[in-house]
Amino acid sequence: KMKVIGVIPARYHSSRLPGKPIVDICGRPMIWWVYQQTKKCESFDEVVIAVDDPRIQAVCDRYEMKSLMTSTEHDTPTSRLYEVSTKLEGDLYVLAMGDEPLIDARCFDLIIPERLETEYYVAGLVNVLDKATEVIDFSNQKVVTNAKGEAMLISRSPIPYPKGYLDFEYKKITGVQIFSPKALEFFNRTEKSILEKAEENDLMRFVEHGIPVKIIESGYKTISVDTQKDLEMVRDIIRKKIDGGEVIL
């Protein structure tokens, strides 16, 4: 059996929401909600929060959540994941973004393969975008795939451009991705690629160097908390779940 580790990167210095992982949502820090959801996935042998600040680590300790201190120098979640892979041995590392407190644990099994057919395994979940406003929103990173379901390009622009054909769906990359140790080693030793710099998407480093990035559609949608407005929306949703007895604190 492969050893699968769930990793939640939690960076303290967010430009729009400083201290984001530990902001309060209905009496619990945001990272607590992500951790509780991620722990529900029975495919994980271990779940760890990759922190970069003692303030987040203190919160993890208080709520008895396993954490690992990582460097403050990482500028991408994937490079932070690489550091975790050098400290915790595993066959696969699943990235679950620390700012998605509504993540559905069922989504993780969609991305975990039964066996590895290549040493360089990379895959990402996508959601279908329903509204035109979501398609033109640059914070939603759209992806186009080849006939094998592998990423050809990830862009903040609406791709493909609907000039001669409209019968397709726009899909956005979510915060759930998976990597083999060799893929993370490759990422760590390779310079940032041109398109990765332009679009600010880690996965383009693999795409530009010909390493397949498998794209898997997920029906489980979530909200990433990037702004105060997102935070208020998530608080409202969770408060309703608590009031309705769906969530017990």
Side-chain angles (χ1 to χ4, degrees), residues 132-144:
T133 49
E134 293 177 319
V135 175
I136 58 171
D137 182 347
F138 76 87
S139 64
N140 289 330
Q141 300 179 52
K142 278 69 69 176
V143 62
V144 288

Side-chain angles (χ1 to χ4, degrees), residues 19-37 49 56 59-65 98-102 225 231 234-236 238-239 242 247-249:
K20 181 160 75 165
I22 54 177
V23 295
D24 180 81
I25 298 177
C26 303
R28 294 282 191 275
M30 173 149 63
I31 197 73
W32 181 87
W33 293 97
V34 183
Y35 187 79
Q36 297 308 314
Q37 289 300 100
I49 300 170
I56 306 175
V59 167
C60 290
D61 292 345
R62 189 184 319 146
Y63 288 97
E64 298 178 341
M65 301 185 292
D99 60 0
E100 300 200 355
L102 297 171
V225 178
L231 181 60
V234 166
R235 278 176 178 155
D236 282 346
I238 290 179
R239 196 173 294 115
I242 293 168
V247 175
I248 297 161
L249 291 177

Side-chain angles (χ1 to χ4, degrees), residues 68-84:
L68 189 67
M69 184 59 76
T70 54
S71 168
T72 55
E73 300 300 306
H74 297 297
D75 61 349
T76 70
T78 312
S79 61
R80 194 175 304 285
L81 197 61
Y82 165 73
E83 185 182 339
V84 173

Side-chain angles (χ1 to χ4, degrees), residues 200-214:
E200 288 191 342
N201 183 287
D202 309 9
L203 293 175
M204 283 310 300
R205 196 176 309 185
F206 298 102
V207 174
E208 279 191 77
H209 287 91
I211 291 177
V213 175
K214 196 170 168 58

Side-chain angles (χ1 to χ4, degrees), residues 136-220:
I136 58 171
D137 182 347
F138 76 87
S139 64
N140 289 330
Q141 300 179 52
K142 278 69 69 176
V143 62
V144 288
T145 55
N146 63 17
K148 292 186 203 166
E150 298 160 351
M152 294 167 68
L153 179 65
I154 298 162
S155 178
R156 292 173 187 277
S157 298
I159 54 171
Y161 186 85
K163 180 179 183 289
Y165 190 68
L166 285 169
D167 193 15
F168 59 83
E169 294 174 316
Y170 287 99
K171 294 172 184 178
K172 75 158 186 171
I173 293 283
T174 74
V176 178
Q177 292 153 28
I178 190 168
F179 306 85
S180 63
K182 283 277 189 205
L184 291 170
E185 274 175 35
F186 167 83
F187 186 87
N188 183 61
R189 69 169 185 265
T190 311
E191 289 288 309
K192 274 194 182 189
S193 62
I194 293 169
L195 291 175
E196 178 191 359
K197 285 181 189 170
E199 298 281 5
E200 288 191 342
N201 183 287
D202 309 9
L203 293 175
M204 283 310 300
R205 196 176 309 185
F206 298 102
V207 174
E208 279 191 77
H209 287 91
I211 291 177
V213 175
K214 196 170 168 58
I215 297 298
I216 298 156
E217 192 177 312
S218 165
Y220 304 111

